[in-house]
Amino acid sequence: MTVPHEQKPHQESLSLESIAVLADGQGKAVINAAINAAMRDTEDRGEDGKARKVTVEIELKKLGDDNVTATVKAKTTLPPYVTKPTIGRIGMEGRKPRMLFSPASAENPDQPALPNGTED
């Protein structure tokens, strides 16, 4: 059975306000790093209209009879990086279907590459 302990003057109680000082201040550092990553991506690609998310998790584990550990985890969820579509035609190689596209034009599978201006 857990024995309750009296709070000593130098101790803090775990709360929203004290998360920042967990692990010698690493709690604040990992949360701020996740926020900064989400903000960087919002500034870089935010015109896509999608939300960036920061999830903070506090993991508590019992350690022995009367101790507990607290671990702070912060995760950033960013939208995937996506290219514009490339249009291709369906072609066959033997009996295998293939996508045939032009590397010179994502919009036109029949667009040949422009001449580079040098003659052989």
Side-chain angles (χ1 to χ4, degrees):
M1 180 176 160
T2 303
V3 177
H5 293 273
E6 293 292 322
Q7 185 170 347
K8 297 177 182 165
H10 68 278
Q11 294 176 325
E12 285 198 42
S13 180
L14 181 60
S15 67
L16 177 61
E17 293 77 19
S18 66
I19 290 170
V21 297
L22 289 175
D24 301 323
Q26 290 179 7
K28 180 179 180 179
V30 298
I31 293 169
N32 282 338
I35 291 169
N36 289 337
M39 285 303 303
R40 270 193 310 274
D41 193 72
T42 301
E43 195 276 327
D44 288 344
R45 305 185 300 139
E47 67 278 350
D48 64 3
K50 297 180 181 174
R52 279 68 176 154
K53 298 177 186 176
V54 176
T55 304
V56 178
E57 181 178 322
I58 312 301
E59 182 180 276
L60 301 173
K61 284 187 183 177
K62 192 164 185 180
L63 186 64
D65 288 335
D66 64 348
N67 290 322
V68 63
T69 63
T71 304
V72 178
K73 298 179 182 181
K75 180 177 88 170
T76 305
T77 305
L78 307 175
Y81 290 88
V82 180
T83 68
K84 65 181 183 179
T86 297
I87 299 172
R89 299 212 187 281
I90 297 174
M92 297 297 285
E93 183 180 301
R95 297 185 65 177
K96 297 179 183 177
R98 299 286 189 233
M99 177 180 164
L100 307 174
F101 65 97
S102 172
S105 173
E107 297 84 20
N108 182 356
D110 299 318
Q111 174 69 48
L114 297 173
N116 62 10
T118 60
E119 295 184 26
D120 292 329

